[in-house]
Amino acid sequence: MPSYPRPSHAPEDLPGLLRPAIEKYRDDAEDLRRLPSELVDVLRVNGAFRLNTPRELGGFELPVATSVALIERLARIDGPTAWTVWNFNVGFAAAFLSEAAVERVWSSGPDPMIAHSSQPGHLVPNDDGFLLSGEWKLVSGADSAQWMALLAVVLDDGQPRLTEAGPDVRFCLVPRASVEVRDSWHSTGLRGTNSNTVIAGEVRVEPDMALAPGAGARIDRPLFRVPVINQLTSGGAAVTLGLARAAIEEMAELARTKTGPDGLPLAQQPRIQAALGRAGAQVDAALALLMTTLGALDAAAVAGRRTTEAERGAVRGALPHAGETARAVLTSMYELAGSAVVYESNRLGKLFRDGHAAAQHAILSVTNYEVAGRTVLGIPSADPFL
């Protein structure tokens, strides 16, 4: 298996280290509908795509709560950048893949660009491997990717193969060159994420490149005991909350300079003060809930025990709560700003659009409260992705 050195800086220094480059290129990303290659290079060189990669491969191997907190801090600087960083942090997969598979993916360096999608396609057994087909929308960073990690349901005679946990699903690692990327990302928010459509037509997948979400890790250390689904999903909630926090900061700055009909700065109006205080408390509370529930998963992994459905259900409830909170705060800040936000040059308007686009992600949907509620009641979740 390849071996690479870890970046010399501490991971918690990444937001400050990356800020100048992110701020330099974030307007270009809006126009290009993707992160400029210059920004991607800075992110890669500094290890932004190695937050959860094993140490042997030069990764930081951070606890889930720690990496999600870093993504939230990046989102305060720029939502599309943080969203792309989240989607490319699939390095933990190396702990689950065979050494031969790791050699294929990581042989060219410590930062293979892996974009993932959890919209399921189809996987048909073929000889000693599989054939992958399907269409995956909203694959963020698709054009920058070198590899795709695409979810698929295994079919037998055209029907989903069933296991004790439900349908047999796999994340399939396939080279970017083996799939088609369709330019479909013409959006009003998160424009810089390059969330295009990926299409596969009977692409060959080696058996050791089709990873079941419930598979045990080959490397037995705490991070890799945390369920795969929790490695993948929580970053989106962090991005929405980071955008909401940035909107509060932007509105506070506007309130110091913009005057009301009385000629006084908005910052001196009690209603503005109360709205900012309420919004800050809402975001802090939602972020604290997310960090607490993820921290419980990290603690269970350190203790060497399997997480309970109730613990995983608490995380599932924290995700839509983050989305709801971000929507409410973004809307509140947008309304407070008045006509200033209608101009293209106004950053608060962009934060509003990016935040609402991020909150549309399926994992942040309020339907997830149903799964969380079943775990509160002690009813089996009936969700194979919990």
Side-chain angles (χ1 to χ4, degrees), residues 63 96 133 188 203 244 256 259 297 347 361 376:
F96 296 84
S133 299
T188 57
V203 172
R256 296 185 187 100
T259 58
L297 302 189
R347 184 163 182 253
H361 195 287
V376 171

Side-chain angles (χ1 to χ4, degrees), residues 33 51 55 87 136 151 171-172 176 230 248 252 293 320-321 357:
R33 296 182 294 117
L51 301 184
R55 294 192 295 268
N87 203 50
W136 294 263
L151 188 68
F171 276 102
C172 302
R176 160 69 175 81
N230 296 117
I248 295 170
T293 57
H321 182 261

Side-chain angles (χ1 to χ4, degrees), residues 189-376:
L190 292 180
R191 284 177 55 84
T193 60
N194 186 233
S195 300
N196 280 322
T197 299
V198 172
I199 301 168
E202 295 191 338
V203 172
R204 170 74 181 178
V205 181
E206 298 301 322
D208 62 349
M209 299 286 272
L211 176 65
R218 176 176 51 83
I219 300 175
D220 184 22
R221 290 199 293 269
L223 175 61
F224 311 120
R225 298 172 193 152
V226 176
V228 167
I229 196 66
N230 296 117
Q231 298 269 11
L232 289 170
T233 55
S234 302
V239 173
T240 62
L241 292 174
L243 285 164
R245 171 56 66 183
I248 295 170
E249 294 169 354
E250 200 70 20
M251 181 59 217
E253 184 61 30
L254 179 64
R256 296 185 187 100
T257 57
K258 185 176 181 179
T259 58
D262 57 3
L264 296 176
L266 295 181
Q268 295 185 22
Q269 296 186 14
R271 71 177 184 90
I272 300 294
Q273 298 164 359
L276 289 170
R278 179 183 299 108
Q282 289 173 314
V283 171
D284 286 348
L287 184 61
L289 175 63
L290 182 63
M291 292 297 103
T292 298
T293 57
L294 291 175
L297 302 189
D298 288 328
V302 169
R305 66 170 179 82
R306 177 176 169 76
T307 56
T308 65
E309 274 212 339
E311 288 170 325
R312 300 192 300 278
V315 174
R316 184 66 70 87
L319 301 181
H321 182 261
E324 284 186 313
T325 299
R327 280 194 181 100
V329 168
L330 288 162
T331 300
S332 174
M333 297 301 101
Y334 189 93
E335 291 173 347
L336 287 180
S339 60
V341 293
V342 304
Y343 294 96
E344 287 184 352
S345 60
N346 184 273
R347 184 163 182 253
L348 182 51
K350 181 179 182 298
L351 291 167
F352 177 85
R353 295 189 297 275
D354 285 347
H356 277 274
Q360 291 297 106
H361 195 287
I363 198 62
L364 305 182
S365 167
V366 294
T367 59
N368 288 288
Y369 282 132
E370 297 172 12
V371 175
R374 288 197 288 273
T375 65
V376 171

Side-chain angles (χ1 to χ4, degrees), residues 112-159:
M113 302 289 283
I114 307 171
H116 82 269
S117 174
S118 298
Q119 295 184 7
H122 297 140
L123 200 59
V124 177
N126 179 262
D127 296 332
D128 61 341
F130 301 93
L131 295 177
L132 174 68
S133 299
E135 181 175 305
W136 294 263
K137 297 179 180 178
L138 305 172
V139 183
S140 298
D143 285 318
S144 298
Q146 298 166 305
W147 292 84
M148 301 288 181
L150 305 172
L151 188 68
V153 179
V154 179
L155 301 182
D156 285 331
D157 298 324
Q159 298 298 316

Side-chain angles (χ1 to χ4, degrees), residues 309 371 374-375 377-383 386:
E309 274 212 339
V371 175
R374 288 197 288 273
T375 65
L377 291 165
I379 300 172
S381 68
D383 186 322
L386 183 63

